[in-house]
Amino acid sequence: MARHAGRNGWVPATSGNFSVRMDGKRAAITATGANKADLTAAEVIESEIAGPRHPRASAEAPLHLLRYAGASELGAICHVHSLAATVLSRRHAKSGVLRLEGWELLKAFAGIATHETRLDIPIVANDQDTNRLALLVEERLKESGPTHGYLIAGHGLYVWGATPLDAIRHMDAFDFLLTAQLHEEALR
Ligand SMILES: [Zn+2]
């Protein structure tokens, strides 16, 4: 997941982070400062989902761990600072949602079988207090319809799946759809 995002230029300047659920209690997550494009095993740490913060954990670890605690079906989470996600998250921050509608590639998301649908991606305001931000995100996701990710305004995208392969497919689909949306809005 991390190398895939690195190859695509979605995690500039050691940004972004990635995790996989190990079991009901633990997750493996990228350490702070790692270069995701050529991630090594030493740059992945084990963290308790409900436990104290690991000293080498990324500042954004709470945004991964609270998701695992709140959604037992999630097996992997990716966080990227891709250009389209970052720009659109800020452009639509006031409305708190970005609607993707009618695109064929929406079918890449688990549970979507037709392009005649729409996906409302929640957008939350950025906050350097990631414990507070993680709680806000969980509240927002409870209110919103089913989604496979959300945006943080001016910051980037969180996306997940039942397995790492699902998370990669969803990350690819989001990037394509957000890039398409960005081009379309620029042409209006
Ligand atoms: Zn980030």
Side-chain angles (χ1 to χ4, degrees), residues 19 24 34 151 178:
S19 67
L151 294 161
L178 293 171

Side-chain angles (χ1 to χ4, degrees), residues 16-17 60 79 81 155:
N17 34 69
E60 293 187 40
H79 169 51
H81 292 197
H155 179 157

Side-chain angles (χ1 to χ4, degrees), residues 15-17 58 60 63 79-81 126 152 155-158:
S15 65
N17 34 69
S58 153
E60 293 187 40
L63 292 158
H79 169 51
V80 292
H81 292 197
N126 200 9
I152 306 177
H155 179 157
L157 169 73
Y158 269 84

Side-chain angles (χ1 to χ4, degrees), residues 139-174:
E139 258 173 49
R140 250 325 275 288
L141 291 174
K142 265 183 219 144
E143 295 162 8
S144 66
T147 179
H148 299 284
Y150 65 91
L151 294 161
I152 306 177
H155 179 157
L157 169 73
Y158 269 84
V159 47
W160 49 77
T163 67
L165 277 179
D166 288 331
I168 287 173
R169 190 180 77 249
H170 290 164
M171 182 163 54
D172 281 346
F174 266 122

